[in-house]
Amino acid sequence: MDLSQLNKRQKDAVKHIDSPLLVLAGAGSGKTRVITNKVAYLIEECGMKASSIAAVTFTNKAAREMKTRIGQLLDAKKSRGLRVSTFHTLGLNILKKEGKRIGLRPGFSILDSNDVSAMLRDMWQVDVTEETDKLKMLQWKISAFKNALQDPAHAKSIAEEKFDEIAATLYEKYQQNLRAYNAIDFDDLIYLPVLIFQQFPEVLDEWQNKIRYLLVDEYQDTNTCQYELVKQLVGVNNGLTVVGDDDQSVYAWRGAQPENLVQLNTDYPRLKLVKLEQNYRSMGRILKAANELISNNPHVFEKKLWSEMGYGDPIKVMKCRNDEHEAERVVSEILSHRFKHRTKNSDYAILYRGNHQSRVVEKALREHRIPYFLSGGQSFFEKPEVKDVMAYLRLMANHDDDTAFLRVVNTPRREIGAATLEKLGEYAMQRNCSLFNACQEMGLTQTLSARAAEKLSRFTLWVRDIAERTYQGNFVQTLRDMLRELDYETWLLDNSKDPNVAEKRMDNVRELISWIERTYDQENDVSDLSDIVTYMTLMNILERQEDDENEADSVTLMTLHGAKGLEFPHVYIIGMEEEILPHRVSIEEGNIEEERRLAYVGLTRAQKTLTLSYARIRKRFGERIECEVSRFIDELPQDDIVWEGGKDTADPEEQKERGQAHLANLRDLLSGS
């Protein structure tokens, strides 16, 4: 293999196979290059079979990038059988093969957060309009139980507060409902494989033989459950490389534990450490600022990023009157910089702590007719028409999926009213069966009118028929037949405000069917309706945790959390104020270290220039509040900062350039109109 493109430390990481390895990879230090080259090295130089290697990460985007890069290093024959996926996709594959051991039947459903919320709402039986926040907290608590590997009995035994007792009791009932629905939630994709491996040592032994070498990306983001799954799969093989950066751990609210990096020393006494400190992304001044900022956090592993790309421009700090002035200043700076350097809109990113901060910036960008891309918009899978079709597929694959049944039983309308569904629900509860199966019981006619029972029976028989046809004939064509038999396009036309909207919604449905067709043809693990449904539901959940690509020439607006893993030539971080960054809740809880890591992530997204801004007065909850500059600005090397206190202190030459930029932008707008 040709490793000449790697630096010395990267080569050391690729070639080390004698013991478990921790690659402490700083921002922009080429960690993906190390992982992909190591996979190729294990196959080409060490003679390992591709089918005995697994590389896991946290996002679909990262997994796709790994697959692409490995495909450039190895031909298709040599990489056949290689597992490159997210943690949760690996967990899904384990459950598809081993789920029967814990009572999961084929065709099980994966519930997304909205489905889980609806189930908990029904179980809790309260006026949710007044209890929405508490319901969210309960949902989060149940997720935390699973991520910490706590079953309902254990959760009950350790509950000290009244809220914890309520959550543990609800958790127990929730698990019972999942079993009744033959369903799992997102957390179960890791939690249940761990339980299976604990309860069935022979199954764990089989999987340890299947996966002889495991590579894990973004290890600082693992929770207790994910850490245990890695530990189980590695076993005594010692075939493990993990890549992580404790300075970029910003997902504690998801259960991430950066201390898992430290725990490796205990669990793997022969652990080797390789530090990647050379940065290939940012100018030296930006890295110096990032190093000084993060040095205020305690460290088990010390590292300092450095670059050969030159020192770069000073970091600009803009003091603004208020949030509107801040937005106007940032947009004005972008206009001026673009005019002066002939750059593209897509070279710029505006980052912030919370989504609410984007509104005033969006307004300023719109007023100047600057195209922008707002990250974190509505997911494709969240569109109502896509959710309708997915619910039909879920119900076809799993007749016990009551959530899917309730979504589609009257979509399009079948004159099945709320009163009918309420009586059906009571009957199904008495019979301890799903709503779908209750529709086919003779005894239902004693609860419902013959006409209502006949409509429900006809609906369920039709769903069964479509499901059988998907297994017998052309899968995708059967789905198209289903939509035609539903007359779904006409229903969209009748329920949209105009024909253009209806057509766009139908285009989304066609895109979904096309996507299913591509998935059916390309994914080895997808062979029937059940596989399609579980795969696409997982993709839906994972895609919602990511952000879409900004392919147009647009300024990117996104949260600091969303920016992790990305890079931009010119970065603006707004709202650098106490109680925003660091966040008020983190200050109250004494969790400043994670906020500092979040600021560090923001700084290290910048390749060429970095601008920070804060407002003296900001609107919060309808009031205008005086703000204090973030402590993180004070922690930066002051010699590398240029302070701008407003227009009155701006350099005259710079004011002139800004004026020219605004005139040029105005001319462009007029000529475009």
Side-chain angles (χ1 to χ4, degrees):
M1 270 189 69
D2 179 16
L3 301 178
S4 60
Q5 299 300 310
L6 306 183
N7 65 38
K8 183 183 182 304
R9 296 229 179 134
Q10 289 173 334
K11 285 178 189 172
D12 291 344
V14 167
K15 290 183 174 182
H16 182 81
I17 59 169
D18 298 331
S19 67
L21 172 68
L22 165 59
V23 182
L24 199 67
S29 62
K31 65 182 179 68
T32 305
R33 183 186 296 181
V34 167
I35 294 174
T36 53
N37 273 274
K38 183 147 195 174
V39 168
Y41 183 82
L42 290 169
I43 295 169
E44 292 272 31
E45 302 296 329
C46 303
M48 292 190 72
K49 290 182 178 178
S51 58
S52 65
I53 300 170
V56 295
T57 186
F58 281 85
T59 67
N60 283 329
K61 182 179 176 183
R64 285 194 299 267
E65 186 179 356
M66 276 192 204
K67 283 181 182 177
T68 300
R69 292 210 202 175
I70 291 170
Q72 292 166 353
L73 295 169
L74 293 170
D75 62 46
K77 188 176 180 182
K78 286 183 178 176
S79 61
R80 187 172 296 130
L82 176 70
R83 292 179 175 87
V84 180
S85 70
T86 63
F87 260 108
H88 294 88
T89 304
L90 175 63
L92 174 60
N93 289 334
I94 294 170
L95 287 181
K96 280 163 64 175
K97 290 181 171 62
E98 316 296 347
K100 59 184 178 293
R101 297 174 185 272
I102 54 169
L104 269 182
R105 302 185 298 283
F108 59 84
S109 296
I110 305 174
L111 305 187
D112 65 16
S113 61
N114 293 329
D115 295 329
V116 171
S117 181
M119 185 188 292
L120 292 176
R121 190 183 303 124
D122 291 342
M123 289 164 50
W124 206 21
Q125 295 180 336
V126 293
D127 182 1
V128 178
T129 56
E130 298 177 5
E131 301 285 357
T132 299
D133 289 342
K134 193 176 284 187
L135 186 69
K136 286 180 181 176
M137 283 298 296
L138 286 166
Q139 188 170 345
W140 178 87
K141 191 70 178 176
I142 289 171
S143 176
F145 286 145
K146 293 187 179 185
N147 289 335
L149 272 178
Q150 296 170 358
D151 62 19
H154 183 68
K156 277 185 174 181
S157 71
I158 62 171
E160 295 180 355
E161 305 288 334
K162 181 66 177 175
F163 180 80
D164 292 341
E165 290 177 14
I166 294 170
T169 302
L170 194 65
Y171 178 27
E172 182 175 43
K173 189 176 178 184
Y174 169 69
Q175 290 298 93
Q176 292 169 355
N177 277 20
L178 286 180
R179 281 194 294 275
Y181 291 175
N182 191 32
I184 63 174
D185 61 27
F186 186 63
D187 297 311
D188 285 331
L189 291 166
I190 310 295
Y191 178 60
L192 294 180
V194 170
L195 293 188
I196 290 170
F197 289 155
Q198 287 176 344
Q199 295 172 23
F200 302 96
E202 69 280 8
V203 176
L204 175 58
D205 189 54
E206 285 176 25
W207 279 89
Q208 286 176 345
N209 286 323
K210 280 181 186 176
I211 299 176
R212 308 293 293 181
Y213 204 99
L214 182 63
L215 302 98
V216 186
D217 188 19
E218 303 285 10
Y219 203 71
Q220 78 280 350
D221 291 338
T222 55
N223 56 37
T224 299
C225 206
Q226 288 156 341
Y227 186 94
E228 184 61 25
L229 181 62
V230 169
K231 192 175 169 185
Q232 288 175 327
L233 288 171
V234 172
V236 296
N237 292 336
N238 283 334
L240 176 67
T241 290
V242 305
V243 182
D245 181 5
D246 51 343
D247 290 334
Q248 294 190 75
S249 181
V250 293
Y251 291 118
W253 49 280
R254 282 190 196 168
Q257 296 176 301
E259 55 268 30
N260 284 348
L261 289 168
V262 182
Q263 184 64 28
L264 287 165
N265 272 318
T266 303
D267 290 333
Y268 305 99
R270 294 177 58 226
L271 182 76
K272 180 179 173 64
L273 172 66
V274 172
K275 297 180 186 179
L276 302 184
E277 296 171 294
Q278 182 175 359
N279 176 284
Y280 294 92
R281 173 188 298 158
S282 305
M283 307 301 283
R285 199 188 302 257
I286 293 169
L287 297 180
K288 179 186 172 186
N291 285 333
E292 287 212 17
L293 173 70
I294 206 65
S295 68
N296 290 281
N297 274 5
H299 286 83
V300 174
F301 306 106
E302 293 293 338
K303 70 175 186 306
K304 264 197 173 170
L305 296 177
W306 59 276
S307 170
E308 292 181 340
M309 300 176 69
Y311 201 50
D313 296 337
I315 295 166
K316 194 178 287 188
V317 176
M318 298 193 303
K319 178 182 177 182
C320 306
R321 293 191 301 274
N322 51 45
D323 42 1
E324 289 93 350
H325 182 225
E326 180 183 46
E328 188 59 41
R329 284 289 306 279
V330 167
V331 172
S332 179
E333 288 281 330
I334 290 174
L335 270 173
S336 174
H337 195 273
R338 267 185 51 216
F339 176 74
K340 186 175 179 180
H341 298 279
R342 297 292 182 254
T343 50
K344 298 180 294 183
N345 288 315
S346 55
D347 289 337
Y348 300 87
I350 302 173
L351 310 180
Y352 35 80
R353 179 64 176 81
N355 279 309
H356 65 279
Q357 292 171 261
S358 72
R359 291 169 197 148
V360 65
V361 181
E362 288 182 73
K363 181 173 178 285
L365 288 166
R366 284 196 300 268
E367 286 174 354
H368 288 281
R369 305 277 186 92
I370 298 174
Y372 65 89
F373 167 77
L374 180 64
S375 181
Q378 187 186 38
S379 161
F380 174 74
F381 287 98
E382 286 300 288
K383 297 180 187 300
E385 59 275 12
V386 174
K387 289 189 73 130
D388 286 346
V389 178
M390 285 295 295
Y392 270 108
L393 297 181
R394 280 169 49 186
L395 186 61
M396 285 154 58
N398 176 15
H399 298 330
D400 294 332
D401 192 332
D402 282 0
T403 307
F405 177 92
L406 289 171
R407 182 173 186 95
V408 300
V409 68
N410 229 5
T411 306
R413 291 189 183 87
R414 296 180 175 87
E415 296 179 351
I416 298 170
T420 297
L421 292 174
E422 189 174 342
K423 290 177 183 176
L424 173 66
E426 290 170 358
Y427 178 82
M429 194 177 296
Q430 291 168 5
R431 296 286 296 156
N432 194 26
C433 67
S434 69
L435 297 173
F436 186 97
N437 289 330
C439 292
Q440 297 173 340
E441 291 201 357
M442 296 291 292
L444 187 62
T445 53
Q446 296 173 8
T447 302
L448 295 176
S449 68
R451 185 167 177 268
E454 194 274 332
K455 283 180 181 176
L456 289 168
S457 176
R458 192 190 322 150
F459 167 69
T460 53
L461 287 172
W462 176 80
V463 171
R464 279 189 185 278
D465 177 58
I466 288 286
E468 286 171 10
R469 280 191 263 161
T470 65
Y471 288 99
Q472 294 167 359
N474 183 307
F475 179 86
V476 176
Q477 184 55 48
T478 303
L479 298 187
R480 293 193 175 103
D481 292 343
M482 176 190 81
L483 291 169
R484 191 186 67 254
E485 290 170 28
L486 286 170
D487 200 12
Y488 190 75
E489 190 166 4
T490 300
W491 186 80
L492 285 179
L493 196 61
D494 293 341
N495 289 274
S496 299
K497 59 184 180 183
D498 62 58
N500 289 334
V501 171
E503 183 58 30
K504 284 180 182 175
R505 294 180 68 187
M506 194 61 203
D507 283 343
N508 289 330
V509 173
R510 294 187 188 104
E511 172 55 27
L512 176 66
I513 300 300
S514 297
W515 201 60
I516 290 173
E517 189 168 25
R518 291 194 298 273
T519 303
Y520 195 69
D521 291 339
Q522 295 170 10
E523 293 293 331
N524 295 330
D525 293 324
V526 174
S527 59
D528 58 26
L529 173 64
S530 172
D531 290 341
I532 279 283
V533 173
T534 53
Y535 179 83
M536 294 187 72
T537 305
L538 176 56
M539 291 304 103
N540 169 19
I541 297 170
L542 289 170
E543 292 290 348
R544 265 187 279 148
Q545 293 181 357
E546 299 176 34
D547 292 300
D548 298 323
E549 297 284 353
N550 178 8
E551 295 178 357
D553 182 25
S554 309
V555 175
T556 296
L557 275 63
M558 68 192 332
T559 64
L560 289 160
H561 282 101
K564 187 168 173 284
L566 303 178
E567 57 188 44
F568 305 91
H570 310 288
V571 168
Y572 295 78
I573 304 178
I574 63 173
M576 291 290 291
E577 299 145 31
E578 290 291 299
E579 300 197 357
I580 291 185
L581 185 65
H583 195 273
R584 176 180 53 82
V585 174
S586 296
I587 295 172
E588 291 170 356
E589 295 177 350
N591 189 18
I592 298 298
E593 290 171 18
E594 175 145 340
E595 293 292 300
R596 188 176 284 112
R597 291 195 292 266
L598 192 56
Y600 173 85
V601 165
L603 266 59
T604 53
R605 299 313 93 196
Q607 295 171 302
K608 296 178 181 178
T609 69
L610 176 64
T611 303
L612 314 175
S613 66
Y614 69 99
R616 285 187 290 116
I617 295 172
R618 187 176 295 274
K619 277 185 194 170
R620 283 191 212 160
F621 309 112
E623 294 182 30
R624 301 183 77 80
I625 297 171
E626 282 200 30
C627 305
E628 182 184 345
V629 63
S630 170
R631 69 191 73 186
F632 299 149
I633 289 182
D634 294 333
E635 292 174 0
L636 301 178
Q638 299 303 303
D639 291 346
D640 294 288
I641 288 176
V642 172
W643 289 79
E644 287 194 4
K647 287 183 180 178
D648 52 326
T649 62
D651 179 70
E653 188 62 34
E654 196 167 326
Q655 279 188 331
K656 183 180 176 183
E657 285 176 359
R658 277 193 210 143
Q660 290 174 332
H662 279 275
L663 284 171
N665 191 52
L666 186 60
R667 280 196 299 270
D668 289 344
L669 294 177
L670 291 171
S671 63
S673 61

